[in-house]
Amino acid sequence: NAGVTQTPKFQVLKTGQSMTLQCAQDMNHEYMSWYRQDPGMGLRLIHYSVGAGITDQGEVPNGYNVSRSTTEDFPLRLLSAAPSQTSVYFCASSYLTGGNTEAFFGQGTRLTVV
Amino acid sequence: KNEVEQSPQNLTAQEGEFITINCSYSVGISALHWLQQHPGGGIVSLFMLSSGKKKHGRLIATINIQEKHSSLHITASHPRDSAVYICAVEKSDKLIFGTGTRLQVFP
C-alpha cells in the first residue's frame, strides 16, 4: 500500500516548456486534488476531481490542466511554464463521504521555472 | 482577511515545554484538520475533528464549533516535534488552509 505517489520530486523548467506532474493513489479514493504552496501563503487549490471523468477548477487554475481517466491517477499539466508557477506542488486524495475524511498527501514537487 | 488564521506564525520552545497552536476560522465547516509538514516537505494528517477533543500520544486537538476555534497542544515537546503545523478547514468538500505555524524545539 503505497498511499499517494507523486513524481518528480524536483524539476527545473525553462519558460514556455510544458510538463506533467504525476499523481497516483492506491486507496480507491474518489477525491483527488492538486495544491500549490507558496511562501507566506496556505496551500491553494488548483484543480480537483470527485471521480473518474470528473474534474473542476479550484482557486488558482490558470495555466494548469488536469484529467482523471482512472480512479488511481490524476496528472497535472503545465501547458506553458511561467516563472509565476515556481512553487511546491502537492497532490492529495481522500474518500468523498460528505466531508470529514482524512486527506493523504504526496511528497511534493519542487518546481522552478527559469 | 483569510478564512483560516493561525497563531503564532513562529514558535520556539525548549524541550519539555507545553505548546499550544491556535486556529480560528470564519466559515461554516464540516470538519477541521491538523497537519504536520516535516522539514523535508512531506505533509501528514495528525487529526481530523468536527467536535470535542482528540488525543494521540503527546498531541491533543480541541475544537469549539460555536467560537470557530481550534487548538493543537503538544505536551512534553521534543526536538523531533520541530515542523510546520497546518490547520485546514473542510467546507463543501474542499480544504481551506491556514498559513502554518513553524515550531522549533531546542534540546
Side-chain angles (χ1 to χ4, degrees):
Chain A
N1 189 340
V4 178
T5 303
Q6 187 181 333
T7 57
K9 194 164 174 62
F10 300 95
Q11 184 71 51
V12 178
L13 287 179
K14 293 182 178 178
T15 298
Q17 285 186 317
S18 62
M19 79 159 295
T20 299
L21 279 64
Q22 301 291 344
C23 179
Q25 52 90 12
D26 60 359
M27 297 170 280
N28 205 31
H29 287 163
E30 306 98 334
Y31 190 90
M32 295 187 74
S33 50
W34 277 102
Y35 301 91
R36 59 178 289 171
Q37 185 179 39
D38 299 295
M41 304 182 77
L43 279 79
R44 292 182 293 168
L45 181 64
I46 304 171
H47 285 285
Y48 66 99
S49 168
V50 299
I54 306 168
T55 64
D56 207 345
Q57 296 181 349
E59 182 185 353
V60 288
N62 292 339
Y64 307 96
N65 209 352
V66 293
S67 60
R68 184 97 179 267
S69 56
T70 66
T71 299
E72 294 78 19
D73 299 297
F74 190 45
L76 177 73
R77 296 182 188 84
L78 277 70
L79 308 171
S80 177
S84 60
Q85 293 179 303
T86 293
S87 187
V88 181
Y89 292 84
F90 287 95
C91 175
S93 74
S94 65
Y95 289 114
L96 189 67
T97 56
N100 211 7
T101 61
E102 182 180 358
F104 294 81
F105 288 81
Q107 286 298 298
T109 297
R110 186 172 294 274
L111 175 68
T112 302
V113 182
V114 298
Chain B
K1 188 179 189 303
N2 293 335
E3 293 175 295
V4 180
E5 298 275 2
Q6 284 186 240
S7 63
Q9 285 188 311
N10 295 283
L11 185 55
T12 58
Q14 288 295 125
E15 184 173 356
E17 286 185 4
F18 180 84
I19 288 161
T20 296
I21 300 170
N22 296 299
C23 176
S24 296
Y25 54 93
S26 58
V27 296
I29 67 171
S30 54
L32 183 142
H33 299 248
W34 281 103
L35 308 163
Q36 181 189 54
Q37 185 169 22
H38 300 287
I43 298 173
V44 296
S45 177
L46 297 175
F47 294 103
M48 179 185 59
L49 64 166
S50 54
S51 65
K53 175 179 174 179
K54 287 191 176 180
K55 183 175 189 292
H56 185 253
R58 295 179 295 104
L59 301 178
I60 303 166
T62 64
I63 188 169
N64 185 318
I65 296 292
Q66 287 72 32
E67 294 186 5
K68 292 186 165 61
H69 181 269
S70 175
S71 293
L72 176 68
H73 305 286
I74 305 175
T75 61
S77 60
H78 190 275
R80 65 175 175 266
D81 296 326
S82 298
V84 176
Y85 292 84
I86 301 170
C87 170
V89 300
E90 196 168 333
K91 177 188 172 187
S92 303
D93 293 325
K94 295 188 186 68
L95 290 176
I96 305 170
F97 294 82
T99 55
T101 295
R102 183 175 300 276
L103 171 66
Q104 288 184 295
V105 182
F106 294 99

